[in-house]
Amino acid sequence: MRIESSRRLIDTVAWVLIEDGRILCARPDGKDEFYIPGGKREGEETDRQTLIREISEELTVVLIPESIAHVGTYEAELPGAAEISVRMSCYTADYAGTIEPSSEIAEIAWFSYADRAAVPPVDQVLFDDLVARGLLPAQ
């Protein structure tokens, strides 16, 4: 007998920007929690297309396509919804312009590993991996 999973997956793409030992996070307008910048794809967009569009919309900078590199793909349950998981495909990329929150972003902040508890579980998995790989300081 085959049992079908009723688990739902939210598939997202995110930009990992680390400067001076801190990672860029954004708090969307109307939300209390900070996230790694990025979002969900529209239609048949590729990860790269989604990443470029989302970061332009959220942070008003242009990612340089040829510099985009995959960091990893992470998954965790959505808090308070055990039947929903979030998958986040993360990429680094160089950019042109000045990072500024757009109208859909209330604020941006630079988080250290000490701020790990302030981000969602899937972002925490990313933080842990970055520390384990020596890309984000553990302090």
Side-chain angles (χ1 to χ4, degrees), residues 32-101:
D32 295 327
E33 198 165 36
F34 280 85
Y35 300 85
I36 301 299
K40 296 182 243 179
R41 72 187 84 249
E42 292 180 356
E44 298 297 315
E45 282 182 327
T46 65
D47 281 6
R48 181 179 298 251
Q49 291 167 330
T50 303
L51 186 70
I52 291 168
R53 177 185 51 75
E54 283 286 344
I55 298 310
S56 174
E57 289 174 1
E58 291 182 358
L59 302 172
T60 69
V61 295
V62 176
L63 296 184
I64 300 169
E66 56 274 7
S67 72
I68 296 173
H70 188 248
V71 172
T73 300
Y74 308 92
E75 194 169 320
E77 284 184 359
L78 189 65
E83 71 284 352
I84 301 174
S85 289
V86 177
R87 179 187 301 142
M88 183 171 69
S89 298
C90 297
Y91 297 85
T92 58
D94 295 331
Y95 66 96
T98 302
I99 296 173
E100 297 283 341

Side-chain angles (χ1 to χ4, degrees), residues 21 25 31 42 59 61 73 86 107 118 124-126 133:
C25 293
K31 302 220 175 175
E42 292 180 356
L59 302 172
V61 295
T73 300
V86 177
E107 66 181 306
Q124 292 177 16
V125 176
L126 165 67
R133 293 167 55 190

Side-chain angles (χ1 to χ4, degrees), residues 118-135:
V119 297
V122 71
D123 295 35
Q124 292 177 16
V125 176
L126 165 67
F127 275 46
D128 293 344
D129 184 53
L130 293 174
V131 167
R133 293 167 55 190
L135 300 172

